[in-house]
Amino acid sequence: MTPDRFDGAAQAHGLGQGAQALGLDLSAMQQQQLLQHLALIVRWNRVYNLTAVREPVQMLTQHLLDSLAVVRPLRRHTQQAATTLLDVGSGAGLPGVAIAVACPEIRVSCIDTVAKKASFIRQVGAELGLDHFSALHARVESLTAGNFDVITSRAFASLADFAALTNTALAPGGVWMAMKGQMPQEEIAALPSTIEMFHVEPLRVPGLDAERCIVWMRRRG
């Protein structure tokens, strides 16, 4: 497969195998929505430079399956109850769109400071018919309402900066779900006394030979 060429059948097969390996029971509609998101990234990436990864097969593994790997841990936390989630620095809508598709009980908002990326994410939500999904073009520190039960990010910033920038957006009793590569020992050690890291959860992403983990955090006290 040449770069930027989207092979729907091959991607569908890879997604099906990956979802099974992750223990996810995705409907045919959900799988189609996820593949549609991937196809939109491939198409828009030519002009908007949404991601440095250009090969669709690599996008499937490094972006889509990487995002889907958090679904089961997230649902264990929420107990599949109605939840509000903010995806910070969402870029191409990762992991926010994947979470919105796989978890219809979660109202997902994606935020990015880059207007063209926010526009892309908004277009994805419209084309996929996600009525529990929204995209915001803003700096995350401007959100002050404290409406979100879960705030997530994928390689957005250090843990301390992530918590500081999003603290006013986190609802009382809410948690941060930071997606990281290797366990960030130095970042955890640098957390302020007001923030508690209460769990580091290793992740295995099908087809990806690299360490991944979730760092779960909350306000202390």
Side-chain angles (χ1 to χ4, degrees), residues 84-105:
T84 53
L85 179 142
L86 179 67
D87 175 19
V88 180
S90 190
L94 303 161
V97 172
I99 291 171
V101 170
C103 308
E105 75 280 3

Side-chain angles (χ1 to χ4, degrees), residues 6-8 11-20 22 24-42 56 59-61 63-71 92-104 120 124-125 127-130 132-133:
F6 187 83
D7 184 335
Q11 299 295 71
H13 179 70
L15 175 59
Q17 285 193 322
Q20 184 176 25
L22 291 169
L24 300 179
D25 184 17
L26 300 175
S27 69
M29 173 63 77
Q30 287 172 315
Q31 292 188 49
Q32 180 57 42
Q33 288 173 312
L34 292 167
L35 292 171
Q36 189 176 353
H37 179 208
L38 201 61
L40 286 167
I41 294 175
V42 172
M59 285 186 187
L60 175 69
T61 301
H63 290 332
L64 187 52
L65 294 181
D66 189 59
S67 295
L68 288 171
V70 307
V71 168
L94 303 161
V97 172
I99 291 171
V101 170
C103 308
F120 169 75
V124 169
E127 293 204 23
L128 270 56
L130 301 175
H132 58 298
F133 176 85

Side-chain angles (χ1 to χ4, degrees), residues 140-152:
V140 68
E141 57 267 36
S142 70
L143 304 181
T144 59
N147 289 333
F148 296 99
D149 304 310
V150 179
I151 300 181
T152 190

